[in-house]
């Protein structure tokens, strides 16, 4: 089961992984109220559907005024979004996520998958973020770094360095990235995820590492188990 971007980002944030501030909206009025509450002068209106490739399909729009926020939200809500990752009918847009616009320096790629047979989690990273990773894998496989984590050892320092090298990070960015990688690994194990994709993970003009997009996939059995645990902890 895939979580929506805003749900995935909430989990990231709980683990101390930086994400842009944002609010969900179901009407154009809520979208404007969300933008006002966020403040600033640049917002991003993002269709919440279970498919990537929204940007090129009109499902991610940069707004410079509150009127643009309203117009973009009105243009998306209630419509079907057709992206290269959906069928011809597309997916209904029931919610939009209103985010503060980030000051993007570079767009990177990071994903995590689990190899069930080897019972190992792997990180896959590339300095070529924001693009179709399948295309990168096909045309320039040397631009992709894969790190397999032995569960009994966990994420090792040298593995973080290998990834940071593949991502072409500077020293200070490397430090920020190490925190992100450790947090992601802990999160992945805790929530029993089957896949995580951050495309793009960005470096900002302020020297931070921020998850600009977020996709978490959790096996349904893991979700049931977690809600059962939550209920045991907090019976209502
Ligand atoms: P998708 O992968 O579905 O196209 P993304 O969330 O990756 O959607 O957004 C597409 C592009 O839009 C990103 O690569 C980035 O360039 C831009 N973008 C997305 N969110 C923001 C944001 N908060 N601030 C600035 N730019 C953004
Ligand atoms: Mg993306």
């Amino acid at each position: 089961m895939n979580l929506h971007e805003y749900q995935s980002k909430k989990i990231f944030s709980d683990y101390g992984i930086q994400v842009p501030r944002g609010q969900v909206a179901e009407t154009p009025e809520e979208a404007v109220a969300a933008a006002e509450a966020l403040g600033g002068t640049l917002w991003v209106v993002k269709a919440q559907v279970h498919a990537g490739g929204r940007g090129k399909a009109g499902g991610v729009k940069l707004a410079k005024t509150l009127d643009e926020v309203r117009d973009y939200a009105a243009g998306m809500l209630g419509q079907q979004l057709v992206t290269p990752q959906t069928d011809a009918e597309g997916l209904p847009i029931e919610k939009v996520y209103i985010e503060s616009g980030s000051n993007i320096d570079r767009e990177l790629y990071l994903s995590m998958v689990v190899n069930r047979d080897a019972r190992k989690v792997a990180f896959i990273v590339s300095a070529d973020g924001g693009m179709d990773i399948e295309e990168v894998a096909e045309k320039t496989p040397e631009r992709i770094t894969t790190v397999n984590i032995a569960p009994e050892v966990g994420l090792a320092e040298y593995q973080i360095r290998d990834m940071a090298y593949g991502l072409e990070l500077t020293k200070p960015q490397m430090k920020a990235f190490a925190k992100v990688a450790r947090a992601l690994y802990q999160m992945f194990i805790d929530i029993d995820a089957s896949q995580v994709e951050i495309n793009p993970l960005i470096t900002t003009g302020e020297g931070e590492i921020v998850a600009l997009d977020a996709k978490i996939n959790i096996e349904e059995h893991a979700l049931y188990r977690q809600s059962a645990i939550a209920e045991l902890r907090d019976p209502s």
Side-chain angles (χ1 to χ4, degrees), residues 52-54 199-200 213:
R54 296 167 301 166
N199 189 19
D213 195 1

Side-chain angles (χ1 to χ4, degrees), residues 65-77:
T65 64
L66 293 174
D67 279 340
E68 282 182 359
V69 170
R70 186 194 317 273
D71 290 349
Y72 292 147
M76 288 182 205
L77 287 162

Side-chain angles (χ1 to χ4, degrees), residues 59-214:
V60 176
K61 298 229 167 165
L62 251 69
K64 295 200 181 79
T65 64
L66 293 174
D67 279 340
E68 282 182 359
V69 170
R70 186 194 317 273
D71 290 349
Y72 292 147
M76 288 182 205
L77 287 162
Q79 301 298 311
Q80 298 282 120
L81 187 70
V82 180
T83 86
Q85 295 182 23
T86 68
D87 59 18
E89 207 178 302
L91 291 168
I93 306 174
E94 286 161 7
K95 293 183 173 77
V96 291
Y97 194 45
I98 311 300
E99 260 185 5
S100 296
S102 290
N103 176 12
I104 302 174
D105 170 32
R106 290 175 54 222
E107 298 200 344
L108 317 170
Y109 176 91
L110 183 150
S111 68
M112 301 172 75
V113 293
V114 48
N115 178 338
R116 293 276 170 216
D117 293 336
R119 309 184 88 228
K120 273 185 185 169
V121 176
F123 274 89
I124 300 163
V125 302
S126 174
D128 298 332
M131 340 213 285
D132 181 5
I133 197 67
E134 274 87 34
E135 205 180 310
V136 178
E138 201 176 295
K139 293 190 180 148
T140 49
E142 70 280 5
R143 303 277 298 161
I144 293 180
T145 304
T146 303
V147 157
N148 288 298
I149 299 156
E152 62 280 9
V153 180
L155 180 59
E157 280 310 307
Y158 79 90
Q159 294 181 313
I160 294 175
R161 272 201 307 277
D162 283 353
M163 288 194 273
Y165 185 76
L167 291 170
E168 302 171 357
L169 299 179
T170 63
K171 266 268 164 62
Q173 286 169 345
M174 216 170 127
K175 241 180 124 183
F177 174 74
K179 268 173 76 178
V180 172
R182 283 192 205 101
L184 278 174
Y185 184 65
Q186 190 59 51
M187 178 202 80
F188 199 92
I189 303 295
D190 286 354
I191 68 172
D192 205 358
S194 39
Q195 206 178 336
V196 167
E197 185 176 56
I198 310 177
N199 189 19
L201 177 73
I202 61 161
T203 60
T204 68
E206 293 78 32
E208 304 152 325
I209 305 273
V210 177
L212 216 60
D213 195 1

